[in-house]
Every structure is written in structure tokens, then in C-alpha cells.
Amino acid sequence: MTDVIETQLLINNKLVPASDNGTFELFSPHTGNLVAKVAEATLFDVNAAVDAAQAAFPAWSALSPLQRGVPLKKLAELHISEKDELARLDAISMGKPISTHGTDVSYAVTQYNYFAEAAYPQGHTSLNTPGFLNMSLRQPFGVVAVIIPWNAPLIFFSKKVAPALAAGNCVVVKSSEKAPLTSWKVSQWIEKCGFPPGVINVLSGHGQTSGQALAEHMKVRALSFTGSTRTGRAIAIAAAKSNLKKVVFELGGKSPSLIFDDADIEQAAKETELSINSNSGQACFASSRIYVQESIKDKFIEAFARIAKARKLGDPTCLGINHGPQADKTQYETVQKYIALGKEEAGSTIDTGAGATNNEVSPHHIHPVIFTDVPEDSRLTKEEIFGPVVIVNTFATEAEAIAKANDTEFGLYASLYTKDLERAIRVAKKLESGMLGVNCTSPTTCLDLPFGGWKGSGTGRESLLESMEHYLEVKSVYVRVSGIGG
Ligand code: NAD
């Protein structure tokens, strides 16, 4: 058994315990062992972190983009040299298999390296008002809060912190209570990378205390959040009731995948299976509702189930395992409640773990489950489950497929499989979704196009090219100049 980790908060480049020495316990979802005592940030700590960020802001924002890029590049280098330890920390806290963790690290490295060099925000100039040279300036907000979920902590930390810092802001990050260890690890590198005190502050703790305090804080001028739609709503209310801070939301999903009868069924099954079951179904953009054309239903389900049965469940810290446990007991129990509901409501159930014997499977592992013919108004069809549970329903016509796909409050990632290009474009246009895969599905995305959702899936759009916009205010400056008429 490894030693129990004791984490701290990073405030003003000092690693400190919570002001009241409060901690909470973190258990491995695989072994059930205590892995860490995590500092629980108090209101006092939130205020101290925000004050440190505010004090650091004038000097940090006065640097050139290239000067701000120097420590960001060092942060990228440390992610690469410490990638194995980062993978281990996420595996023991929330169960992500180390064999799949490389994507998280390379994503983070790209964010830090890109924003280290590409942060040259610009406004506009205008000679369109007679007698004036007018211009708009893009300027940082000051203190930006970043609140992240647990399913891919390094991705969310980096995709928000890198552009916010590059734009000249100072940040206070709050990690998720379910996966605080990689954020804590990164916080230990901040001073070593050369960030001045207060530029990055990292808090751990629960949403109701430190998260809520950041959302309500009068000195926080912008807040970037990835997490559930429910929490997004609470943050929007807190922002509205305090200082109307700018909020950026990347929220939940219930993504539809439409499989037409001319599709490559094996490819569609392989990719949708990966989409819903990778990270044990704990991905915002997972293809959780699959609609297949009636004539190919049996063939598709056979292929999907065969692929899902080949998942390697086991200890997430071992290579060769691609399916870890659910992140914790609560997540496990939530998913099990939906499975129980599905067994009552679905036309049929395929439990890919039925009859399986595997000593490596822990109490929080869930084998992929396929429900077919689920009522469209069931909670199973409407709510985000966040587990390896897929619904496979059918459609007869293109219009029916589109109507069923769009009958949701979410709109993060839709996909469709067909060899008919005209149909692909026609359907793609009608689907209500921020991202859309044609003959592919999530996790396929790209770094330089907007990532984000329609409807209840969010308000933000993040990408290498767009993210910095979220962290910049705009100022229009009107300069009267005699002698320059229209
Ligand atoms: P969550 O909403 O429960 O928690 C996210 C973060 O918010 C955590 O750090 C939590 O402590 C904090 N929080 C909780 N209550 C708060 C409050 N009242 N005020 C401020 N902060 C609060 O979500 P989760 O369970 O950590 O993550 C899973 C959810 O995130 C899923 O819904 C998933 O779809 C979504 N997600 C979305 C994206 C995306 O890019 N759209 C990506 C990953 C995850």
C-alpha cells in the first residue's frame, strides 16, 4: 500500500494547509484504500487566493505576451517529464486507466505551448467617424476563477488557465473534490516554472463552499466553468446575484448518434462504442443515445455488443486495462439507479458483463450495458447518466431521426453515419448541436475549431483560436483628431 498523500493549497506561491487545517479523505475507486487527505479550502482561503491574484495582476498584465509565455512553456515541459506520475494520480483518485491518460497530458502540453506564443490579442481601428481615429482595445479582466470537473482534470485546467494567463489575467483554480491530485501536483511546479506569486492560485475543496464562494466573489470578474448543467445553473445564479461576472460554461450532454442503413456498420459500432464507454462512460460528449435505421438494428447491436464485451476491465494503474471503475461510490450508485430503471423500462437489456469472471474487477466497476427500445420520454433517454450505459433506439425516416435526436435539452455533440453525402449535409444542418461528426463521433474533435454546446450544454466555445476571447474585456476609445475629416 502506498503512503497517504497530504495535499495543500497554493496561495501566493506558498503551499499551505486550509486556514482551519480542514481536510477531506479521498479513496481509490478501485482498491477502496485511502489515498489522500485533501485540503478543504475555506472562505478565508478563497479570499486570500483572490487577493493574491488581484495583487499580482498589475505586474503580470504589464508583461509582454512572450514574457508571460516563458513560465507557460516550462509548465508544458514538466507535464511531459512527469506524465507517468500524473497518470498515476488520476488513476488512483478517479479511476482513469493509465493506458488512456496520454491524451490528457498531450492536450495540456499543446495548450500551454500554444498560448505561450500565440497571445497577441488585438482590437480594431476605425476612420469611419469624421474627425476621429477610433480604436477598440482588448484588455484582461483581472481575477479569473476557473472551476473544473473530475473526468479529465488536466485538460480542463490547461484549456482555461493557459488562455486566461496568456491574456494577462491572474487565476484562482478550484479542482474537483473527486480528482484533486493532478491539480495539486501542477500547483507544486508553479513557483519552479517562474510564475510570480499570486498569478496562479490552486484551491481544492467542495463546490458548496469554495466553488460557491468563487461564483459569488465580488472581485472575480470572469469565471470559466466545466461541469454539470445543474452546477452551471447555480453558478449563473450566483454570478447574477453578485457582480454579474462574465461566465463561460461547458456543460453536460446527451449526445445522439444517427446510423443510417447505408452506413459502414462495423465502423459505426466501433466508434460509438468507444464514444460511450471510454473513461467508463464519464465523458460529456459521449454518444449516449444511438438511433439506428430499423433494417440494420440487429446487425448494429450485434457488432456493438461484441466490441463492448472485449473491454479490459481492471486496475486502472495497470497497463493493458482500458476500463476503470466509476469515479467513486456516488457515481457508481447513480449509474446503478439508471440501470435499474432501464431494466424496468427498456424493451430489452444487454449486460455485457453477464457471466463474466474477472478477479480484477472492483466493486465500483460497471460492465457496459445496452438498452434497446427505450421510451423517448424516459428519464433514461432525457438525463445524462455519465456511465457506460447506451440507449439504442430505431427510426424509419430521416425526419424521424432528426426529430428524435433534437428532442433533448442538451446540444453538445451529435453524429451521423451514412455514405450519402447530400443526406449527411442535410441532416448535419438540422441537428441542434455545437459539434457534429459525419462518419465519426466523439472523442473526435479538433484543436482549432470551437468546442462547446448549444442549449443546456453550455455557452462557451473553447479552442486554440477562440479561448482567449473569453478572458478579454473590450474598450472602445474615441480619439478626436483635428484635420482628419471624413
Ligand atoms: P459538477 O457540476 O458536479 O462539478 C464540477 C465542479 O463544480 C467541481 O469542481 C465542483 O466542486 C464544483 N461545484 C459544485 N457545486 C458548485 C457550486 N454550487 N458552485 C460552484 N462550484 C460548484 O460536475 P462533475 O460531476 O465534476 O463533472 C461531470 C459533469 O461535467 C457532467 O455533466 C459532464 O457532462 C460535464 N462535463 C462537461 C464538459 C464539456 O466540455 N462540456 C467536459 C467535461 C465534463
Side-chain angles (χ1 to χ4, degrees):
M1 187 175 148
T2 47
D3 293 340
V4 174
I5 296 166
E6 292 191 14
T7 79
Q8 295 91 23
L9 314 172
L10 180 77
I11 300 176
N12 219 16
N13 275 6
K14 298 266 181 297
L15 287 161
V16 294
S19 61
D20 63 357
N21 283 317
T23 60
F24 63 95
E25 294 182 324
L26 186 73
F27 297 91
S28 156
H30 182 67
T31 63
N33 292 337
L34 179 66
V35 294
K37 289 189 177 168
V38 182
E40 173 80 60
T42 62
L43 285 184
F44 180 90
D45 297 319
V46 169
N47 287 333
V50 171
D51 286 347
Q54 196 172 43
F57 175 67
W60 179 250
S61 56
L63 295 177
S64 74
L66 276 185
Q67 287 170 317
R68 288 196 289 266
V70 173
L72 283 170
K73 286 210 154 188
K74 293 200 176 131
L75 201 49
E77 285 163 18
L78 282 163
H79 276 68
I80 296 169
S81 61
E82 297 277 339
K83 66 180 177 5
D84 292 342
E85 177 61 0
L86 292 169
R88 187 185 77 84
L89 292 174
D90 276 341
I92 62 172
S93 59
M94 51 65 75
K96 178 174 293 206
I98 57 168
S99 63
T100 65
H101 197 270
T103 325
D104 295 34
V105 171
S106 65
Y107 188 99
V109 168
T110 304
Q111 301 295 312
Y112 295 123
N113 278 333
Y114 178 84
F115 287 106
E117 296 202 335
Y120 286 85
Q122 291 194 328
H124 301 291
T125 53
S126 163
L127 281 173
N128 296 324
T129 307
F132 283 83
L133 166 63
N134 292 335
M135 65 191 85
S136 64
L137 307 179
R138 316 301 314 272
Q139 293 179 274
F141 280 87
V143 182
V144 169
V146 167
I147 302 181
I148 59 175
W150 47 267
N151 60 335
L154 291 175
I155 289 182
F156 303 114
F157 192 116
S158 62
K159 81 193 296 195
K160 297 172 185 303
V161 167
L165 290 181
N169 300 284
C170 295
V171 297
V172 179
V173 184
K174 193 200 82 66
S175 60
S176 163
E177 58 277 18
K178 291 189 201 303
L181 299 184
T182 43
S183 297
W184 166 70
K185 189 76 193 167
V186 171
S187 74
Q188 293 169 57
W189 302 335
I190 298 304
E191 187 169 21
K192 182 157 63 163
C193 287
F195 288 103
V199 169
I200 306 183
N201 305 276
V202 184
L203 304 177
S204 47
H206 286 79
Q208 301 304 329
T209 42
S210 46
Q212 184 75 23
L214 284 169
E216 288 171 352
H217 209 291
M218 293 301 287
K219 292 182 189 166
V220 171
R221 294 291 166 191
L223 186 156
S224 183
F225 171 73
T226 295
S228 64
T229 301
R230 179 177 39 83
T231 303
R233 206 167 269 131
I235 291 174
I237 291 168
K241 284 189 174 165
S242 54
N243 59 353
L244 274 176
K245 56 182 65 61
K246 176 178 179 177
V247 287
V248 180
F249 289 146
E250 299 286 359
L251 308 175
K254 190 74 182 177
S255 295
S257 193
L258 311 184
I259 323 287
F260 289 91
D261 57 8
D262 62 346
D264 179 333
I265 296 177
E266 194 65 29
Q267 181 202 356
K270 187 170 154 228
E271 294 180 1
T272 50
E273 191 282 335
L274 178 71
S275 176
I276 179 65
N277 290 329
S278 63
N279 209 17
S280 302
Q282 301 166 138
C284 53
F285 51 21
S287 297
S288 49
R289 290 184 297 139
I290 300 178
Y291 293 100
V292 287
Q293 206 147 9
E294 279 160 0
S295 61
I296 58 164
K297 174 186 172 192
D298 292 344
K299 217 168 155 192
F300 176 84
I301 290 175
E302 179 281 317
F304 189 101
R306 172 170 32 85
I307 298 162
K309 275 182 191 155
R311 294 217 138 247
K312 298 263 183 299
L313 277 69
D315 185 343
T317 62
C318 294
L319 281 171
I321 298 301
N322 67 4
H323 196 102
Q326 303 312 118
D328 67 4
K329 188 166 180 279
T330 311
Q331 291 302 125
Y332 172 84
E333 287 173 353
T334 303
V335 178
Q336 288 296 2
K337 277 187 198 148
Y338 282 108
I339 292 175
L341 181 68
K343 286 181 177 163
E344 281 171 26
E345 296 194 344
S348 71
T349 306
I350 301 170
D351 180 352
T352 64
T357 49
N358 179 352
N359 294 337
E360 284 301 304
V361 173
S362 69
H364 294 154
H365 269 95
I366 299 179
H367 285 272
V369 177
I370 304 159
F371 288 121
T372 69
D373 308 304
V374 181
E376 287 298 322
D377 59 355
S378 166
R379 284 181 51 215
L380 217 57
T381 321
K382 295 288 177 217
E383 297 173 10
E384 185 180 45
I385 298 173
F386 229 52
V389 179
V390 74
I391 290 161
V392 182
N393 279 355
T394 57
F395 64 88
T397 63
E398 189 179 301
E400 184 189 348
I402 294 166
K404 285 180 169 173
N406 285 342
D407 187 13
T408 171
E409 279 305 307
F410 294 105
L412 192 55
Y413 193 125
S415 61
L416 63 98
Y417 287 81
T418 179
K419 293 201 176 90
D420 179 341
L421 181 62
E422 291 199 353
R423 170 158 64 193
I425 301 298
R426 205 166 49 232
V427 176
K429 187 180 170 218
K430 289 187 178 155
L431 290 175
E432 297 164 358
S433 181
M435 295 176 281
L436 196 129
V438 176
N439 291 320
C440 66
T441 189
S442 63
T444 299
T445 55
C446 70
L447 290 163
D448 58 348
L449 284 181
F451 185 110
W454 286 19
K455 299 163 59 177
S457 289
T459 57
R461 290 295 184 280
E462 296 179 315
S463 82
L464 293 183
L465 302 184
E466 266 128 315
S467 290
M468 224 171 57
E469 292 298 310
H470 293 311
Y471 305 107
L472 290 164
E473 267 290 17
V474 185
K475 183 187 287 168
S476 292
V477 180
Y478 320 114
V479 185
R480 189 188 301 279
V481 183
S482 61
I484 55 162

